[in-house]
Amino acid sequence: MKIGVDIISGERDPLELVEGALEAVAEEKDITVVLIGPKETYQQILEKLQHRKRYPSHVLERIDFLHAAEVVTMEDDPLNVMKQKKDASIYVGLRAHKEKQIDAFFSPGNTGAIVVAAALILGRVKGVKKPALATFMPNIEGKANILLDVGASAQCEAQDYVKFCVMGEIYSREMLGVEKPRIGLLNIGEEEHKGTQEMKGVYKTLKELPLNFIGNVEGGDIFGTKADVIVCDGYIGNIALKTAEGAAKAISKLLKSAIKRRLLALLGLPLYMGAIAELKEKTDPERYGGAPLLGVNGNVYIGHGASGKDAIRYGIKAAARAVRHEVLAKIHTELEDFHLV
Amino acid sequence: MKIGVDIISGERDPLELVEGALEAVAEEKDITVVLIGPKETYQQILEKLQHRKRYPSHVLERIDFLHAAEVVTMEDDPLNVMKQKKDASIYVGLRAHKEKQIDAFFSPGNTGAIVVAAALILGRVKGVKKPALATFMPNIEGKANILLDVGASAQCEAQDYVKFCVMGEIYSREMLGVEKPRIGLLNIGEEEHKGTQEMKGVYKTLKELPLNFIGNVEGGDIFGTKADVIVCDGYIGNIALKTAEGAAKAISKLLKSAIKRRLLALLGLPLYMGAIAELKEKTDPERYGGAPLLGVNGNVYIGHGASGKDAIRYGIKAAARAVRHEVLAKIHTELEDFHLV
C-alpha cells in the first residue's frame, strides 16, 4: 500500500519528516511512502541522506516522490487558499488520494485548510454532513480513549453527533482493539437532564442508537476508564484538547522546578527525568499517529504542525493500520446498516 | 465582619469544616464565622471539640451559629428544591446575607442550587443578566489566572461576556493584586476571525471595551502567562475546568507508577513525594478559596463538594478579602462608569 506524506507544510525541517518516513518503511514491510513536496527540497534531502548511507536499499526502494510546487502556510485562510495555491502539497496529496495513487495521506499542515480541501476533493462519506477530527487521549491506565470532534466542525446537530458515535466506535475497535467501545457524550454533568436544551436533545437521539452509549460524561472522564469514545462538537473538543495539553505542560514545568529546588535534587534528578520521559511518551498523543479526519471519503491524517520524526513514523503506521483494517469501508457499511445514510 | 459557612451541604464530616473555620478565625483577627446547619449537628461538634480544648477563647468567641433544619443534597434538582426545602442551610445562609446578618456566605453544596437561589434571594447586580462562577487556575509560573464562567450560565450572549470581563478584571485586581489584568476570550484560535459566528461577534464587542482586552486565547493559555483573566460561557468553562482537573489527576497517577517501576525508586521516592506535594499545593485551586459567584448582589462563594478543612479555611479568608476590598461595590461602580447598567 502507498501512504502519501506531506513533507513541506509542517513547521519542522523536511529532512526530519523524511527520516520518520524511512523508519516507518523499515518497520512495515507492506508499505511504500510517497513523499510530497517541492522537487528542490526533495533533491536536497536526497543529497544529505546519501552522505549518511544508513538506510538499506529495500527501504530506499519503497520511498517514492510526488512534486508539489507550492505550500499552504499556517497563516493562510483555509477557505480561500485553495484557489490561490492549487499546486500546494496538501492539494497534490489529496488529489493523488482521490485518484487512488495513494491509499492514505498524512499532513502536518494547516488543519483548517486540510479539512476544507479533503471534503471538497475527496467528498464526504454518504450520510455524513460534517467530518470529525479524532484524537487519542491518554487515560489513567496508560491506555487511550478517543475524543472527537477536536476541531473539524465547530457547530453540530444531533445527527452529526450520531455519525461521530458510529465513526468513533469503529475507530476505537479497529485501531485500539476495543471490543465493544463505550461511547460517552461530553457534557457538564452526568444526568440526562444536564446541559443546554440542545445537549438534552442530542442525548435523547444517541440513546436510541444500536451502540454502547453510556450517557453523559464530564471533562475529567476524557482521561478516565468510563468511556472509550467521547463525542463532542469541534469547538468544545478543540478547547478540551488544548486545555489538556496546556495542563500537562504546566504540570511538567512546575514539577521540574519543584524537584530542582529540593535538597538532593542532583542525586534524584536522573531518576525523575527518566520517569518524566516515560510519562511524556505515554501521554504523547503523537505516538498514536496524528488525528484521522473521519467522515471524508478517504484516509486522511492530520498531524501537529510541530510533528517531527516520531510523529511522522507513528502517523504513517496508523494510516497503514487504518487501510489494512478497512476503516473507511466499515464506516460506509455501518452507516448503511444503521440506516443513517 | 461576619462570614457565614454552610457546614452541612458538603460531602465531608461537618467537624472538619468547623475546624477549618476555627483556623481561619485564628488567623484573621477581624472576622467572626457564623456556622450554618442543624442544631443537633452543631451540638455534636461542640462536644467533640470540648474534648480537644485546642482553641483559645478569643477564637471560640468569634464562632457563631445559625440553625438550618434541612439540607439540599447534590442530587436535588436546583430549580425545584427551593420550594421543597425552604429551611435548608443554603437558603438560610443566603437569606441571612440578604438581611445583612452576614457579610459573605460560603457553601460547599449543590452548585446549581446555590446559583439559582443566590440570584433569586440576593438579586443580581444592576446590569448583569447572568452571574458567573469564577475560578483560579494555576499557571506555569506558579501564580494563578482567573477563568470565568465555569458553570453558572451555560448559554451566553455578547453582553454577558462583557460583564464577565468587567467582573473578572476587578476580581483579578482586588484578589490577586494584578495591576492591569489582561483579558482573553477563550476560543479555538487566536486570530479575530476564528471560531463560530457568535464568537466573532463577542470578539468585536469586547474589543470596544475600555479594558485591557488582548483578544482570543486558546485552551492552553488557561495555564499560561499571556492573559490574567479568561472569559468563556459556563458550558465551555465547566468542561475546560474538569478537563484540566482530570488531566492533572491522570498525570500524577501515571507519574507515580512510572517512578515506582524504576530502579532506585525507594531511594528517590520521598524526594519525589515532596515535590509532588509541593506541586499539588501549588496547583490546588482550593488554596484560593472556592469559586466566587460574581454578578449576584452579595459575596457568595461555592466550594467543591469535597471541600475539607483547608478548603474551608481558604474559602473564608478569600471571602473576607473580597469583603475588605469591597469587590461587590466595585463591580457596581465599574459597570455604571462604563455605562453598562
Side-chain angles (χ1 to χ4, degrees), chain A residues 74 77-78 138-142 154-155 186-189 191 193 195-199 218-220 222-223 234-236 238-244 246-251 253-255 257-259 261-265 267-269 271-272 274-276 278-279 282-283, chain B residues 74 77-78 138-142 154-155 186-189 191 193 195-199 218-220 222-223 234-236 238-244 246-251 253-255 257-259 261-265 267-269 271-272 274-276 278-279 282-283:
Chain A
M74 297 299 179
D77 179 8
N139 75 16
I140 49 167
E141 284 185 345
Q155 276 164 315
L186 190 58
N187 204 335
I188 56 170
E191 300 85 353
H193 68 268
T196 59
Q197 208 56 42
E198 229 177 314
M199 291 311 283
E218 297 188 89
I222 292 173
F223 317 94
Y235 189 84
I236 300 277
N238 183 277
I239 285 174
L241 175 64
K242 287 183 180 158
T243 299
K249 219 166 106 184
I251 288 169
K253 196 164 168 184
L254 289 171
L255 188 63
S257 72
I259 286 175
R261 259 198 317 282
R262 252 145 236 283
L263 213 66
L264 294 177
L267 194 109
L269 210 56
L271 178 66
Y272 304 117
I276 286 192
E278 181 188 324
L279 174 75
K282 262 212 173 123
T283 57
Chain B
M74 297 298 179
D77 179 8
N139 75 15
I140 50 168
E141 284 186 344
Q155 276 163 315
L186 189 58
N187 204 335
I188 57 171
E191 300 85 354
H193 68 267
T196 58
Q197 209 53 44
E198 228 179 316
M199 291 310 283
E218 297 188 89
I222 292 173
F223 317 93
Y235 189 83
I236 300 278
N238 183 277
I239 285 174
L241 175 64
K242 287 184 180 157
T243 299
K249 218 165 107 183
I251 289 170
K253 196 164 168 185
L254 289 170
L255 189 63
S257 70
I259 284 180
R261 261 200 314 284
R262 253 144 233 284
L263 213 67
L264 295 179
L267 194 107
L269 210 56
L271 176 67
Y272 146 83
I276 286 263
E278 183 187 323
L279 174 75
K282 263 213 173 122
T283 58

Side-chain angles (χ1 to χ4, degrees), chain B residues 97-119:
Chain B
H97 190 17
K98 171 80 179 169
E99 290 155 15
K100 299 200 193 309
Q101 293 171 41
I102 53 178
D103 301 288
F105 176 59
F106 179 99
S107 172
N110 184 318
T111 300
I114 301 169
V115 170
V116 169

